[in-house]
Amino acid sequence: MSSATTSTDVTSVPATRGIDEDERARLDAAIDDLEAGARTWSALSVGQRATLLRAVRTAVAASAEEWAHTAAASKGLSGSHPLRGEEWLSGPYSVLGALDAYAETLSRLADGRNPLEGIRIDRAPGGRARVHAFPLTGLDKILLSGFTGEVWLEPGTTPRTARAAAGLAQRSPQESGGVGLVLGAGNVTSIPVLDVLYELLAHNRTALLKVNPTQDALVPVFEHAFAALIEPGFLRIVRGGGDVGAYLTGHKRLGHVHITGSAATFDAITWGPRDAAATARRRREDRPLLKKPITAELGGVSPIIVVPGEWTQADLRFHAEHIATMRLQNCGHNCIAGQIVIMSSDWAQADAFRAALRRAYAKAPERPIWYPGSTSRMQQANDDYPDALVLGDRLLVEIGADDDATALENTEYFAPVLGVVSLPGQGQEFLDAAVAHANDKLQGTLGANLLIDPATQRSLGTGFERSITELRYGSIAINAWTAFGFITPTLTWGAFPGNTLQDVGSGLGVVHNALLLDRVERSVLRGPFRPFPRSLPVANGGGRFTILPKPPWFVTARTGAVVSEGLTRFRANGGVLGLAKTLLQALRA
């Protein structure tokens, strides 16, 4: 990953200056509390843990409005900004869903049932077990109709072994995992607390959360929302910059580190930040500076593969807006923001789609570029591609036959920069070439997106599933965006397996995973190609039916803010009347 990539604060890199005695005492006291909390946690039954999660849920629901408003304000979004709904969905909505899913898993275990009881498991290509992990509730089946999600386990797993291992550390709750450090991301407000929940539930580790300075304003919200975890010593939250991060990563009483951020920060923590020659020597000799295990989610350059077919004008417009959303949501400050569109130079509709993409990318609402360092990365992209289209506050880089795509394909700009590359071919030939290009040319393996119309997918037959199997990414979204997988708690989130400390790529390990599955390889999300009402059977060409019109997370959804807020309030508190009003607003998107 490029050193420019930074989805956590770059000051987490160990710093040259130390912390004072008062700060050291404060941090050590927090670790004391967490060590005592680890003993308490080990004494709780799984049923008691489920009850505790429900108490946390109540507090998160009560904090949802303050959470969303604080997050929006911290990113420069006013109370009337059309994109303020992003902070409802990517903040409290995501956490409420995770708490519900984890509580269900723990309740099943407490009742002597398997977490996968009643959940279909079959075979994916290549000798893999495949868990059909979404939707699992009647409400999700209705509100998110047309979307399904699968977790593929590593080759060699079977449905029987999948069920036998489900539950992870909650199968032996009395075995403590000690105390871990979570270095929180600064771009999406649910990430730090979702990482804390996974530490507690997948590993039986109490957690010291160091928030990114960009989220300092949310600390009071977190302290209220997660008081039920803080009071017994299961969680402590601290602020600080690189000096605090350096002290904590080297602390002997913290047994594990988890980071969501950049490969540069990861490497500085693992191998050392200063002496290049010494760092290189440690890498060669496999002598990391960090003397404890580390897991990480580190982003990458995400592809959007557009498979050629016969699309209507409405299809062209819808998926151009879909791609604009993948890049521009949160101003592109997402580890999973789509960055490279891969399309066919032989597609008869290629020019029409390019034109639709330019329009959609240009007309999305403007917003501040707020993440630290993003302005300089925009300038880097300008320098890399001086002929790029400047569309308001964003860049569109259309790679021509004589252009060099190397910078675009190997730099996670973490800013509103979208590239388009073309490959020859149609049908399976194009799809195979696009998959190989994504695997071999693009940096990282976190997430890949693929758009394909129903008729073309049917014509490819088994070749389509073969191509999905060959796509080496930890999250794959078909006619959807992988961010949907991020907020779906029963799916998993993390890089494709195989990275190492020496070559960390998009990271090590997974998070979310509310079914607590072992030996995870990837999650595959499938969505409808056409929204309602074009998803009706008469118009859909054999595709998936959905009741969703333009989804509220689209940056071009006119009612996205009010629908996102309404869905979060319904997730928090229920209420059929409020849901009905929200759905009526959704129809106006």
Side-chain angles (χ1 to χ4, degrees):
M1 179 175 295
S2 163
S3 60
T5 305
T6 171
S7 30
T8 192
D9 82 70
V10 292
T11 59
S12 291
V13 176
T16 55
R17 61 188 178 89
I19 59 176
D20 62 33
E21 289 297 327
D22 289 343
E23 181 79 343
R24 185 177 291 110
R26 181 176 67 90
L27 296 172
D28 287 350
I31 296 170
D32 291 341
D33 294 342
L34 289 165
E35 288 179 332
R39 293 189 291 271
T40 305
W41 181 255
S42 296
L44 293 183
S45 69
V46 175
Q48 289 172 319
R49 296 175 183 187
T51 300
L52 179 63
L53 291 185
R54 294 189 184 99
V56 174
R57 186 201 192 283
T58 299
V60 170
S63 304
E65 182 172 343
E66 184 183 7
W67 184 331
H69 288 174
T70 302
S74 73
K75 299 180 180 183
L77 301 179
S78 69
S80 60
H81 197 284
L83 299 179
R84 67 191 184 279
E86 293 177 359
E87 299 311 314
W88 288 88
L89 291 182
S90 65
Y93 181 94
S94 298
V95 175
L96 288 165
L99 288 165
D100 286 340
Y102 281 128
E104 173 63 21
T105 293
L106 267 58
S107 295
R108 290 183 175 209
L109 288 166
D111 292 341
R113 301 158 57 205
N114 191 281
L116 300 181
E117 180 179 306
I119 297 175
R120 183 161 65 98
I121 308 176
D122 60 12
R123 290 291 197 173
R128 297 164 171 86
R130 172 170 54 189
V131 180
H132 292 264
F134 180 84
L136 298 179
T137 69
L139 189 63
D140 283 342
K141 290 176 183 176
I142 295 171
L143 293 182
L144 297 169
S145 57
F147 290 88
T148 59
E150 311 150 10
V151 179
W152 291 22
L153 305 182
E154 294 175 352
T157 56
T158 67
R160 183 184 62 81
T161 57
R163 289 190 174 91
L168 296 179
Q170 299 310 302
R171 300 179 66 84
S172 51
Q174 73 286 350
E175 296 179 9
S176 174
V179 181
L181 171 64
V182 173
L183 296 173
N187 58 327
V188 175
T189 63
S190 63
I191 292 176
V193 291
L194 290 174
D195 291 348
V196 164
L197 290 174
Y198 199 66
E199 288 289 287
L200 272 173
L201 299 171
H203 304 294
N204 278 338
R205 276 195 289 265
T206 56
L208 179 60
L209 168 61
K210 190 193 89 64
V211 296
N212 186 292
T214 63
Q215 295 197 8
D216 277 352
L218 276 161
V219 170
V221 180
F222 290 162
E223 289 174 339
H224 177 262
F226 298 95
L229 298 179
I230 294 171
E231 290 168 4
F234 305 148
L235 169 65
R236 287 291 181 268
I237 303 173
V238 298
R239 296 178 173 94
D243 49 355
V244 173
Y247 179 70
L248 294 174
T249 54
H251 204 291
K252 292 182 179 179
R253 290 194 287 147
L254 294 174
H256 182 272
V257 176
H258 178 79
I259 176 175
T260 296
S262 72
T265 302
F266 177 94
D267 284 346
I269 291 169
T270 304
W271 302 103
R274 290 181 290 275
D275 187 332
T279 298
R281 185 171 61 253
R282 282 193 292 271
R283 282 180 183 272
R284 288 194 306 271
E285 297 172 357
D286 194 18
R287 293 189 298 106
L289 196 68
L290 186 70
K291 303 303 182 184
K292 63 193 68 173
I294 183 170
T295 52
E297 188 266 275
L298 305 175
V301 175
S302 294
I304 308 163
I305 298 172
V306 181
V307 182
E310 295 184 14
W311 293 17
T312 67
Q313 288 300 311
D315 295 335
L316 295 171
R317 287 194 302 271
F318 179 78
H319 286 294
E321 294 180 20
H322 200 172
I323 291 173
T325 296
M326 296 181 196
R327 181 69 257 181
L328 297 177
Q329 199 270 356
N330 199 24
C331 203
H333 308 322
N334 288 332
C335 58
I336 199 58
Q339 183 166 304
I340 299 285
V341 180
I342 303 174
M343 56 187 294
S344 170
S345 57
D346 295 326
W347 187 20
Q349 295 177 289
D351 289 342
F353 187 69
R354 285 177 180 269
L357 182 57
R358 293 186 201 110
R359 287 192 296 270
Y361 197 62
K363 77 176 184 180
E366 292 196 7
R367 58 175 297 162
I369 296 176
W370 64 271
Y371 200 83
S374 291
T375 301
S376 63
R377 287 189 293 279
M378 285 290 290
Q379 184 58 53
Q380 178 186 350
N382 264 307
D383 294 342
D384 291 336
Y385 297 100
D387 295 329
L389 292 174
V390 180
L391 303 171
D393 58 351
R394 58 209 64 156
L395 294 181
L396 181 62
V397 184
E398 299 187 18
I399 297 295
D402 298 325
D403 296 328
D404 184 359
T406 301
L408 192 64
E409 294 176 339
N410 289 277
T411 306
E412 184 188 3
Y413 288 110
F414 214 67
V417 179
L418 179 67
V420 181
V421 300
S422 295
L423 302 175
Q426 298 268 20
Q428 191 69 52
E429 177 190 10
F430 167 79
L431 182 54
D432 288 345
V435 167
H437 191 93
N439 284 342
D440 300 336
K441 298 289 187 179
L442 306 190
Q443 187 277 319
T445 61
L446 183 62
N449 312 275
L450 190 146
L451 305 176
I452 184 169
D453 67 272
T456 301
Q457 184 173 337
R458 282 197 306 275
S459 72
L460 297 181
T462 58
F464 179 76
E465 288 299 314
R466 174 179 56 77
S467 294
I468 296 303
T469 305
E470 292 175 358
L471 198 52
R472 296 192 299 271
Y473 285 81
S475 182
I476 299 171
I478 302 161
N479 292 330
W481 178 27
T482 46
F484 187 106
F486 171 89
I487 67 170
T488 302
T490 49
L491 298 181
T492 59
W493 191 250
F496 194 80
N499 295 326
T500 64
L501 289 180
Q502 287 87 351
D503 185 12
V504 71
S506 288
L508 304 166
V510 299
V511 291
H512 304 183
N513 187 25
L515 296 174
L516 299 178
L517 301 170
D518 195 18
R519 296 188 63 189
V520 168
E521 182 184 65
R522 72 183 90 185
S523 286
V524 179
L525 174 70
R526 304 173 195 260
F529 181 75
R530 297 184 172 102
F532 184 85
R534 293 191 301 113
S535 64
L536 291 167
V538 173
N540 201 15
R544 292 172 169 232
F545 171 76
T546 181
I547 67 167
L548 272 181
K550 185 182 293 184
W553 54 86
F554 271 41
V555 293
T556 52
R558 288 179 297 179
T559 58
V562 67
V563 172
S564 298
E565 178 180 345
L567 289 175
T568 306
R569 291 188 183 279
F570 177 75
R571 170 72 77 176
N573 305 311
V576 175
L577 180 59
L579 177 62
K581 291 180 179 178
T582 297
L583 293 179
L584 287 175
Q585 290 286 346
L587 293 174
R588 299 179 53 244

